[in-house]
Amino acid sequence: MTPGPGRHSGGPLPGSRGGPLPTGRGGGLRALGRSRSLWSLCSGAVLMLLLLLWQSGPPAGPPQPSRSAPPVTPVAVPSTPQQECGGHDGELIVATGDDISTGSVRREVFDEWNDLLKPPSDPPAKLLELSDSTDVRRAQMAALAQAGSCEYDVLVLDVAWVSEFARHGYIRPIELDDQDGRFLAGPLAAGQIDGRQYGVPFAADAPLEYRRLDQPSGGYLLQLNDQEMGTINFLEMIELGGGDILGGDDRTTVTLGDDRDETWQALTSPRRTVSSTGRAAPVLRESLQVTEDASIVAFKEGEIGGHQVSYMRNWPIAFHQLAADPRMRGPDKRLLFDVRAPATPGGVLGGSVLAISRHIKPDKLAPAMRLIDRLTGQEAQARLFACGGYGPVLTEVYERYEAGGGDACPRQDGSDITNPSRDELATLAGQIRKSIELARPRPKSPYYAQFSEVFRRCARGVWERRVGPDAFFSSAATLEAALNGRVPADPPPC
């Protein structure tokens, strides 16, 4: 079932001059498209990075009136000569975020590929870990893409940014044959833009609720900080609570004012319904400041700011981080927490895809595809799940683990890490799959970053008690303009 890593070895790669790359069941690539000196290239990347970081940060001082402007159009990507675009000829560079899995299993998968599995003629794959902030990482990748850089060959891209990178021409379309339905539908669709596949699903994320079994009467910890996780949690707060904000096939229609009462109540409720019991728990005000990692620490410790923590919203990868901590197991080694998917639709679909840079050098296209085939194959996906907690993207991996037939991660000699058992992995796999099936994507707009910033600022303003209902609901026009790349004529309402 798993495509072999050397499927396209031998002879020149078809499609290297513009035709489609042949694909097996694991997917493939379609080559599409190339001045400046190296100095201007790098300086352009730095300037664009600063601009993108400025755009993604909170505004300084009071809002200023803005003049009406025509719709923003994608910036043309420079056609940089291959000899001047930088890059690493002897390596296949995979740009990604930090490997936060227990035991750094993702690095081990890459080491195994390089040492044992890749064809001898393929360049070794090198993980280049960028910022651990999703927003900053997006800015870094986009800046180099706009400058025509060959620095990155393969991008581990958050599903929220696929539309921006595809429609601005930063990544190439990929011909992916999934007639056998091996990929989960949601993650597969997340990599599709305008009917074409631009990213191969790599890791699937959807919200899970973690509940401490030893102290069930404490508060609920979310991540409502001023980063992308804050946007995700506020979207979930509204839509899991019965409110409404986005609609349409691509989730690019703002429906914020369609049901004001339900939406306002969902956003402002100080309590959250617990999925496993149906009871309500108070949302802790510390949620406005914590990150994903900080909330895991607070959940382990059972308190934050003097308040007891009994519940936490987080991604699947938190399970392994909790299960590996001796404090989260009883004397009999059983877990002192359980995990549940949301009971209703409204969670936000997360995760990542593997995308190919538009500026990849032609002789790296086939090696990049072979690496992607390996990383999205059953063996690698099962290992990333069992040993690291990454949500699989393959239907068969879920079926195997839910049936109790998946392998647990072998214990590392000399390590006090307790890896999840088969039974624990079976429970986790079932809850991840359920959550993914109930989750909704973020808007497929190349200007999603602008929408995210405006929405988060208004939602946080409500929770900080400086934005009222009239101002919040009047932001609908601003949100619509942001999704369409327009600058509103009036100052933002919140």
Side-chain angles (χ1 to χ4, degrees), residues 382-383 385-386 396-408 422 425-427 429:
R383 184 174 176 186
F385 170 62
E396 188 165 336
V397 174
Y398 284 99
E399 292 174 345
R400 190 188 332 151
Y401 275 95
E402 288 181 72
D407 292 331
R422 278 190 174 186
L425 290 172
T427 298

Side-chain angles (χ1 to χ4, degrees), residues 66-155:
S66 56
R67 294 189 301 270
S68 178
V72 179
T73 54
V75 178
V77 180
S79 180
T80 306
Q82 292 285 349
Q83 66 272 20
E84 297 181 11
C85 71
H88 305 261
D89 290 335
E91 296 174 315
L92 189 68
I93 302 300
V94 181
T96 183
D98 287 345
D99 185 358
I100 58 175
S101 62
T102 304
S104 300
V105 64
R106 191 174 60 185
R107 297 189 189 104
E108 295 175 1
V109 170
F110 273 78
D111 289 342
E112 181 182 59
W113 168 256
N114 288 330
D115 297 341
L116 301 174
L117 300 174
K118 78 172 185 65
S121 59
D122 283 5
K126 179 181 178 181
L127 272 174
L128 184 62
E129 295 183 348
L130 307 178
S131 171
D132 59 357
S133 164
T134 301
D135 304 300
V136 175
R137 188 161 65 250
R138 163 197 157 264
Q140 290 174 307
M141 292 180 178
L144 285 178
Q146 287 193 6
S149 172
C150 303
E151 182 70 21
Y152 309 145
D153 302 309
V154 178
L155 308 179

Side-chain angles (χ1 to χ4, degrees), residues 139-394:
Q140 290 174 307
M141 292 180 178
L144 285 178
Q146 287 193 6
S149 172
C150 303
E151 182 70 21
Y152 309 145
D153 302 309
V154 178
L155 308 179
V156 181
L157 203 61
D158 188 295
V159 293
W161 313 128
V162 176
S163 180
E164 174 187 358
F165 277 62
R167 290 178 176 159
H168 288 182
Y170 303 159
I171 54 178
R172 297 169 177 262
I174 296 173
E175 280 199 354
L176 184 63
D177 181 3
D178 190 51
Q179 293 182 2
D180 55 358
R182 69 191 194 106
F183 288 106
L184 293 181
L188 183 66
Q192 295 169 353
I193 303 298
D194 300 330
R196 306 188 74 180
Q197 198 79 35
Y198 280 87
V200 181
F202 180 43
D205 263 340
L208 293 177
E209 176 183 276
Y210 295 83
R211 176 180 65 137
R212 288 191 64 128
L213 302 176
D214 56 343
Q215 52 179 52
S217 59
Y220 209 123
L221 195 58
L222 306 176
Q223 300 95 35
L224 305 177
N225 58 2
D226 194 17
Q227 296 176 2
E228 179 60 21
M229 274 305 297
T231 298
I232 290 170
N233 275 247
F234 279 118
L235 286 172
E236 290 179 349
M237 184 182 293
I238 291 174
E239 300 202 334
L240 286 173
D244 194 25
I245 182 170
L246 293 167
D249 292 340
D250 283 345
R251 301 266 289 163
T252 53
T253 301
V254 176
T255 58
L256 185 58
D258 290 2
D259 195 339
R260 287 178 57 124
D261 291 343
E262 288 281 352
T263 299
W264 185 251
Q265 183 175 345
L267 177 60
T268 59
S269 175
R271 304 181 71 82
R272 176 102 160 195
T273 301
V274 177
S275 297
S276 55
T277 66
R279 299 178 179 176
V283 177
L284 298 173
R285 297 290 298 179
E286 287 80 4
S287 299
L288 283 166
Q289 307 302 329
V290 298
T291 62
E292 297 136 285
D293 293 340
S295 61
I296 293 174
V297 172
F299 187 80
K300 288 180 181 180
E301 295 177 349
E303 71 88 26
I304 186 171
H307 299 105
Q308 192 177 71
V309 178
S310 296
Y311 309 97
M312 172 185 67
R313 181 263 183 238
N314 218 308
W315 299 117
I317 202 166
F319 184 93
H320 281 56
Q321 297 181 37
L322 295 172
D325 193 319
R327 294 175 295 175
M328 301 309 297
R329 292 184 180 271
D332 58 357
K333 300 300 182 184
R334 291 189 179 183
L335 294 174
L336 296 178
F337 68 94
D338 66 8
V339 61
R340 290 288 183 273
T344 60
V348 171
L349 182 67
S352 59
V353 300
L354 294 163
I356 303 294
S357 169
R358 175 184 171 181
H359 303 290
I360 190 172
K361 296 183 178 180
D363 60 346
K364 291 186 177 183
L365 281 169
M369 191 187 70
R370 285 190 282 268
L371 174 64
I372 290 176
D373 286 342
R374 174 63 185 176
L375 295 176
T376 59
Q378 291 181 33
E379 183 179 341
Q381 285 286 302
R383 184 174 176 186
L384 288 166
F385 170 62
C387 297
Y390 289 102
V393 296
L394 302 179

